[in-house]
Every structure is written in structure tokens, then in C-alpha cells.
Amino acid sequence: MAGTFPTARRASRAWRVATVLLGAGLLSGLASPAWSDEEAMQLLKKTSDYMAKQQTISMKFDSDIEIVTPSLQKIQFASSGEALLNRPDKLRLSRQGGYSDVELVFDGAMVTLHGKNANAYVQTPFTGAIDGLVDKLRAELAVDAPGADLLLADMFKQMSADVLDGKHIGQGVVDGVECEHLAFRGPEVDWQLWVESGSSPVPRKYVITSKMVAGAPQYTLRIKEWKAGFAAQPDAFAFRPGDAKRVEMKEAAGWDEVPPAVSEGTAR
């Protein structure tokens, strides 16, 4: 019938209208003095202090990372993983996705990055706290783990370093858990944090938006399971290579949750 949109087009148009109206409401709300920078920073500091007191932490998570193709199509890649931390200097972090299966092990003296798909690993000596390890991974080994910020002994110092503006948006629910929703802006990235409400301010969701990249791709981390205050097994941070071969760091460049090249029309 003339003048009638196909179902998909009507749904798309209705969604765009709803999004515009919702966005307008949010924009007007962001100007509200009830959302104070001071409250957001206080909640972030409370979370940081609580996390720092946890000697042993384990968690399971899902993560999504977006890329934007040259044609401005946004593609999302999903992974799941686990983390085990024993302060000050023990960490085991694993992540499995469609294109990689990677594990990082730090026993207090040696850092090992194990590419299970490649059946290979790289190692480098390091002594010190986990905070220093995260810096070393990023600066020297070109290994970045955005969610690792949440495990630092002083996550407040690290995460607030470049903050230009912060807001306590209000409440939200993540996997059935009521949370405080915080939003922060920086010169190159914006990020949001959902923290469990009440006396145990555990991070439940973390979103990083890259403003300097066309299409503003996002990294999202959702913490599904959380435990603290237990005794880790003595061998929990031991690395056993099995038949995996040791290789140079440059060979680990392809052990990523995003395939080396993504193009339209290319099958996996």
C-alpha cells in the first residue's frame, strides 16, 4: 500500500525517534545539580578503598570489544574469562574468545603470557606489586587489559588521573544486582562504572568509550561472579607449559580477541 513502511523500516524509524526522545531527556538531566562531581568521586574512592582491602579476589567476566571498519560499520567481538588475584604480587588472568585463548600468569617473580591456541608462551622476569605489573605490560610489552584497572591496589589514583568531569547518574541493575551508576569524562576516553550498592561496592560493569576513534567504539566488561576473602591454593599461580614452546614477545602480537584483519564480506 502506498505510503506504508515495511515492518523493519517502521521499527527502525520508531527506534530512532525513541532514542532521540530518550537522549533529549538524558541531556536535560545531565545539567541537573543533583548529579554532582563530588559524589561521583566519593563513590569511586569508596570502591577503590574497598577493593584494596580484599587480599584475595576471584571473578568471572564477559567482555565485548568493538572495532569500526573503514566503511564505518561497527563490529563487536565477545570473550569470556576469569581472574584470580592474591595481593600484593600474584595474578592469574584468562580470556577465551572466538579468535584467541590467552592466559597471563604472574607468580611474583616471572610474568608469563600463554597463547593456548598457538601452543606457545612468552616470559619476562618481574618483581613487584600488581600495580607495577600492569604498567609494565602496557608500556614495555604492549599488552593492555582494560579491566585490570579494577584490580589495582589504588584504582582511584589510576582511574581518576585524567578525569575532567564525573557524574553520579543514579541507580541501575546489572545481572540482578542493584548498582550505583557513575560516568566520567577524559580528554581521549569516557568511561562508566556500575558499582554494587551498599556496604560491598564491588564493580559490576565497566564501559570505556574511545572518543578519538571514528564511531566511538566501546570496550565493555561485565563481572558475572565475584568472590573475596578466601585462601588461594598454593599452586594457583604456577605456570605449567606442557608441550607449549617458548617464543619471542613479537610472536605474541596475534594473540588478541580481535582478528588481525577484519573486512566486510570476509568469513571467519
Side-chain angles (χ1 to χ4, degrees), residues 86-131:
N86 191 18
R87 300 193 193 278
D89 60 357
K90 303 288 190 301
L91 177 66
R92 192 174 206 109
L93 178 65
S94 63
R95 175 178 47 75
Q96 184 176 23
Y99 300 90
S100 66
D101 189 351
V102 182
E103 181 178 50
L104 184 145
V105 183
F106 175 46
D107 62 5
M110 185 72 70
V111 184
T112 303
L113 187 64
H114 181 200
K116 295 183 179 180
N117 284 6
N119 198 30
Y121 67 95
V122 296
Q123 285 186 322
T124 184
F126 178 79
T127 56
I130 292 169
D131 292 36

Side-chain angles (χ1 to χ4, degrees), residues 32-176:
S32 169
W35 294 0
S36 72
D37 296 354
E38 182 178 354
E39 186 177 8
M41 298 303 278
Q42 288 174 350
L43 284 168
L44 181 61
K45 185 64 165 62
K46 178 183 178 182
T47 301
S48 178
D49 292 345
Y50 179 83
M51 294 288 287
K53 292 177 182 177
Q54 310 309 310
Q55 180 68 25
T56 308
I57 294 172
S58 74
M59 66 179 186
K60 294 183 179 180
F61 62 87
D62 291 329
S63 64
D64 301 316
I65 186 168
E66 296 177 344
I67 63 97
V68 180
T69 69
S71 62
L72 300 183
Q73 181 181 11
K74 190 175 288 189
I75 306 294
Q76 187 178 85
F77 296 90
S79 301
S80 293
E82 300 183 20
L84 175 64
L85 173 149
N86 191 18
R87 300 193 193 278
D89 60 357
K90 303 288 190 301
L91 177 66
R92 192 174 206 109
L93 178 65
S94 63
R95 175 178 47 75
Q96 184 176 23
Y99 300 90
S100 66
D101 189 351
V102 182
E103 181 178 50
L104 184 145
V105 183
F106 175 46
D107 62 5
M110 185 72 70
V111 184
T112 303
L113 187 64
H114 181 200
K116 295 183 179 180
N117 284 6
N119 198 30
Y121 67 95
V122 296
Q123 285 186 322
T124 184
F126 178 79
T127 56
I130 292 169
D131 292 36
L133 170 66
V134 173
D135 290 339
K136 180 181 178 69
L137 290 173
R138 289 172 174 165
E140 299 180 24
L141 305 181
V143 175
D144 196 9
D149 289 338
L150 304 178
L151 301 176
L152 301 179
D154 192 353
M155 61 174 279
F156 178 81
K157 179 180 179 181
Q158 178 72 25
M159 298 179 72
S160 65
D162 296 326
V163 167
L164 302 176
D165 176 65
K167 297 288 187 295
H168 177 208
I169 303 301
Q171 281 68 46
V173 176
V174 179
D175 289 334

Side-chain angles (χ1 to χ4, degrees), residues 9-24:
R9 289 182 62 190
R10 283 206 305 272
S12 176
R13 183 182 181 187
W15 174 251
R16 289 199 300 270
V17 171
T19 302
V20 169
L21 291 175
L22 178 60

Side-chain angles (χ1 to χ4, degrees), residues 203-257:
R204 291 291 180 177
K205 183 178 177 181
Y206 183 36
V207 175
I208 304 171
T209 305
S210 301
K211 299 189 294 185
M212 306 302 287
V213 179
Q218 295 187 150
Y219 175 88
T220 302
L221 178 75
R222 297 178 185 84
I223 298 175
K224 300 186 298 184
E225 295 183 22
W226 171 274
K227 289 174 57 180
F230 60 93
Q233 295 297 318
D235 61 346
F237 303 95
F239 174 65
R240 299 178 178 84
D243 62 351
K245 62 179 181 179
R246 184 169 179 171
V247 298
E248 297 297 321
M249 179 58 69
K250 62 182 180 181
E251 296 186 48
W255 303 349
D256 199 355
E257 55 193 314

